[in-house]
Structures are given as C-alpha cells and as structure tokens.
C-alpha cells in the first residue's frame, strides 16, 4: 500500500500559474523598480491590454495613483486611474510587499474595478432597503417563479396567507390558497411570462375586493425570469364608490322631480297666453334654462347606468351633419373668444353643413359626446389657431377625428379617458373624455387619442354606421 511519499504531487510553479490565471481580480507582480514581471489574464482584460504591452513596463506609467506601488509602506486599498485604450478607468489598488527572492519580485499588486465593488455593495444595501420598505407596506408583495413557487414575500403578504416570509419561501403558492384559485393565478402568471407585460385585475373573495398587479421581472438575457405580484385590499374604496353613486342618484332624483314641475308650469303659462312680450321672453328663457338642466340630469343618470352596464340603447336615425352643426352653434362664443378657425372635412374634401350623414344612435348622448370632445379641443388650442374635424370611413365605422395644435400634458396622457383625470384645467372635472368614451362604447364604438408637441392632439371617435346591439 503506498504511503504519503507515493501520493501524486503537483509541480508548484505550474499549479501556482494556473491559480493566478484563474483569479478573477487583476494581479501584477513587480520588481524592485516597479516594472511588471507578470500580469494575469484578469488584469489584461481589465485594462484592455495584451501581455506584451504590460510585460517589462513601469507600473507607475499606467496612470495617476499608480505610484502607490513604489511606496515602501503602501496605505492598503488606494484609488488610481489607469489608462486603457478606451480611456481612463478608476480602480482600487491593493499592494503587498514580498521578501526579495532570486527572481527579483518584491511586491504584488491586486487591481479591482470599483464599479463592480460598489455595485455589489449597493445591491446588498438596496436589497436590505427593499426588504424594509416592502415589509412596511400594507399591500401584499410576492416574487413568483413560473410554477408558482414563492421566491420572496413581504410580511403583509405572508400574513394574508396566515404564514410568515420564512415559512413561505421556496414553497408553492398552492399550499396557501385553494387549488381552483391557484390554477387561476397560475394562468395569469403564465400570461405575464409569455407576453412579457404587466397585468391588472380585480376579484372578490370572502366579501373583500382585491386589486392585483402582476409585473414581469427580466433576467440578464432580457427574458422574463420572475413575476412580481402586488395585491391591495380595495374593499373600502368599493364601498365609498357605491355610497357616492347612491348619494348622486338620490340627489339627482330629488332635483329632477321639482325641476320637471317648474318646466311644466312654464309651458302651461306660455300656452295660456295673456302675457306681455317681456314676460313671454323671460318665461321662454326660464323654460330653456330649466330644460338644459333637466337634460344634464337625465344624461348624468344615463351615464351612471352606462358605467354600471345597465343602460339599454334605443337608437334612431340621426343626421350627424345636423348634430355637429348644433354643437358648433353651442360652442361658437368660445370659438370666437379664442379667434379660432373651425374646418370641417369629409373624405378628403370640404364638408358643407347641408350634406347629410345618417347614422343610428341616440342624438342626445351623441351631442354630449361631441360637445365634450370639441370643447376640449377648443380650450386646448392656442389662440388664432385652427381646429379641424375630419370624417373618414373605416371599414364598418365612421371615424371622426378632431385635431387641435395643443398638446395633452404628459402627466395625464396615459389616463386621458379615465374618470376624474384632469391636468388642473380651471373648472375641469375630468369627466368629459370619460363620458365620451362611455357613450361611444354604448353605441358599439370607441375613442382613441394620440398627442405630441410637434403634431398637437388627435382624438378619433369610431361609430358604427348602424348600431350593433
């Protein structure tokens, strides 16, 4: 049986050379005068230089700060700015003295890039800070793998599942929720992995309303590696929204009843006669104002039903040309005040008001739709500019595009058609574009917008030539 003397040995110089080449840090061995006797591959790569370019070279010539290698008592980790073909590179130098040997080597220099070093430190600190921030959040936050395994979870999220982050780590989400719910979540998880974009949805469980946001987390190769899932309890917001709707509905009903009576009395007085011209004019103005308010109330109640999906459309033939002429007359004072030019075009040519354009819909709501959008365009237009309205066929739809030279503020571009989205416009409620989208959708159409500083803003309304119910 062979003893220790018979064990295989590795030649020390060859083994040491392999170790030095495998070292991820740059390393240089210098003689007493500071010339490079040896530089490993990592240093060649760090400085973008070949072995011949470094061998025999004075290390101090590599850049400011490199002279620290000649200090008889080097300060430890020191900063230097070494030259590379791509420009100077900031590094840390760590110098170690060696006993002088027969080969003349007296010191070893370790060279490390500070960017990588600082990046690792910042990543470590960032992860710790992220953990503190996530644990301070009331929202549930999870990091999930493609098979639904929990890679990370904050304390609020774990508490929602009756667990702790430590217990949930590395386990499948299926262990903490019913199987049918897990399958539904896994399907949405796979959608994010496959499509590479975020997903938002809501659901209701045990009387609680929850809002969920799934976001892709990209790996080094640019593909989705994980999914970040955030869940928020919005039960209170739902309750407040229902309460607001109930209050609005009651208020509208309470206003509508006496207002209908006032309008009816005005009509009766006008019909009975015996009035002076001044009295008749005053009653006519009162009746028109009352009918306008009544129309606003009726429209708002209809919009509420559209929002809830309960509205039943009753389409009738509508002349779009006549309806838009009515809208123009209504907005004429505003157009004149801003000295704007309103241009009407149809299929690439001038569109006279006398040229009919029949569509099916509800005239009252279509008038509201176009009044809101055209008023927005007029208000956003610079004085003395032009607003154009163009009608073009688009498959089974009419596409009516309103263009103005103004630009939608970036803060509201993504929320342009959302409820209460407004850019602090005086008197703005953020309901005009929202109601326009509701009305278009109820008519089987849609509304879209694009905006930029050089082009201005285009808002296009698509309405079917015959309503699809």
């Amino acid at each position: 049986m062979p003893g220790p003397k018979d064990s295989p040995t590795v030649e020390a110089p060859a083994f040491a050379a392999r170790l030095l080449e495998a070292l991820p840090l740059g390393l240089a061995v210098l003689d007493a005068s500071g010339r490079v006797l040896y530089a490993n591959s990592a240093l060649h790569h760090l400085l973008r230089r070949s072995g011949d370019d470094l061998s025999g070279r004075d290390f101090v010539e590599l850049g400011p700060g490199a002279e620290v290698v000649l200090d008889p008592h080097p300060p430890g980790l020191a900063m230097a700015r070494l030259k590379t073909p791509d420009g100077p590179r900031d590094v840390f130098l760590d110098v170690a003295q060696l006993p002088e040997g027969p080969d003349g080597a007296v010191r070893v220099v370790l060279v490390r890039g500070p960017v990588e070093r600082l990046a690792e430190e910042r990543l470590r600190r960032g992860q710790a800070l992220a953990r503190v921030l996530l644990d301070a959040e009331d929202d549930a936050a999870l990091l999930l793998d493609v098979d639904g395994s929990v890679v990370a979870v904050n304390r609020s999220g774990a508490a929602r599942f009756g667990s702790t982050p430590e217990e949930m780590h590395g386990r499948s989400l299926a262990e903490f929720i019913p199987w049918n719910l897990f399958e539904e979540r896994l399907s949405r998880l796979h959608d994010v992995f496959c499509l590479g974009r975020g997903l938002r949805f809501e659901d209701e469980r045990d009387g609680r309303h929850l809002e969920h946001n799934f976001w892709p987390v990209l790996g080094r190769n640019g593909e989705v590696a994980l999914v970040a899932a955030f869940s928020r309890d919005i039960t209170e917001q739902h309750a407040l929204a229902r309460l607001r709707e109930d209050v609005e509905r009651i208020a509208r009903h309470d206003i509508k009843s006496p207002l209908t009576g006032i309008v009816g009395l005005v009509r009766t007085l006008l019909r009975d006669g015996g009035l002076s011209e001044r009295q008749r004019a005053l009653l006519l103005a009162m009746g028109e104002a009352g009918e306008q308010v009544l129309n606003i109330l009726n429209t708002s109640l209809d919009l509420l039903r559209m929002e809830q999906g309960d509205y039943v459309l009753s389409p009738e033939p509508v002349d779009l040309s006549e309806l838009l002429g009515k809208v123009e007359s209504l907005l004429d004072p505003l157009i004149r005040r801003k000295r704007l030019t309103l241009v009407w075009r149809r299929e690439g040519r001038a569109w006279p008001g006398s040229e009919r354009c029949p569509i099916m819909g509800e005239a009252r709501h279509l008038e509201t739709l176009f009044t809101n959008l055209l008023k927005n365009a007029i208000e956003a237009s610079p004085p003395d500019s032009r607003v154009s309205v163009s009608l073009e066929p688009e498959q089974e739809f009419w596409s009516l595009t309103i263009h103005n030279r103004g630009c939608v503020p970036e803060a509201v571009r993504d929320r342009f058609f959302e409820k209460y989205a407004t850019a602090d416009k005086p008197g703005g409620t953020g309901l005009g574009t929202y109601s326009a989208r509701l009305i278009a959708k109820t008519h089987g159409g849609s509304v879209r917008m694009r905006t930029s500083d050089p082009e201005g803003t285009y808002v296009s309304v698509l309405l079917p030539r015959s309503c699809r119910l």
Side-chain angles (χ1 to χ4, degrees), residues 74 78 101 118 168 170 176 192 197 203-204 226 240 246 253 321 327 331 340 368 377 388-389 400 405 416 432 445 466:
L118 291 176
M168 292 188 69
F176 302 94
V192 178
R197 60 173 179 262
D203 64 10
E204 182 181 1
L226 299 168
L240 289 174
D246 291 342
H253 182 270
S321 182
V327 171
L331 298 175
L340 301 177
T368 299
S388 66
V389 181
L400 189 137
R405 299 303 306 176
F416 187 73
S466 59

Side-chain angles (χ1 to χ4, degrees), residues 417-440:
F417 293 108
E418 290 183 12
K419 200 172 188 179
Y420 308 126
T422 180
D424 299 324
K425 183 177 70 175
T429 63
L431 293 174
T433 54
Y434 175 74
S435 63
R437 185 179 67 171
L438 269 181
I439 294 169

Side-chain angles (χ1 to χ4, degrees), residues 68-186:
V68 72
V69 300
L70 296 178
D71 193 325
H73 303 288
L77 208 59
M79 193 76 173
R81 176 163 289 181
L82 303 187
K83 303 169 186 174
T84 78
D86 301 328
R89 174 156 189 177
D90 292 332
V91 297
F92 285 114
L93 303 181
D94 197 355
V95 185
Q97 292 290 118
L98 291 177
E100 187 169 354
D103 57 0
V106 294
R107 55 180 63 83
V108 171
V109 183
L110 286 177
V111 185
R112 55 174 67 119
V115 175
E116 293 82 356
R117 185 171 182 271
L118 291 176
E120 290 177 1
E121 179 66 17
R122 288 173 181 170
L123 178 61
R124 184 185 64 78
R125 292 181 182 178
Q127 288 173 336
L129 178 61
R131 168 58 65 184
V132 171
L133 293 175
L134 284 174
D135 284 343
E137 273 288 329
D138 291 332
D139 295 352
L142 298 91
L143 204 57
L144 301 172
D145 206 339
V146 67
D147 61 356
S149 296
V150 179
V151 177
V153 58
N154 68 344
R155 299 211 170 272
S156 296
R160 189 171 293 177
F161 296 104
S163 185
T164 65
E166 294 76 17
E167 290 175 349
M168 292 188 69
H169 178 73
R171 295 168 66 181
S172 173
L173 195 61
E175 299 181 43
F176 302 94
I177 58 177
W179 181 256
N180 61 333
L181 182 59
F182 173 73
E183 286 186 318
E184 187 270 337
R185 289 289 185 272
L186 194 62

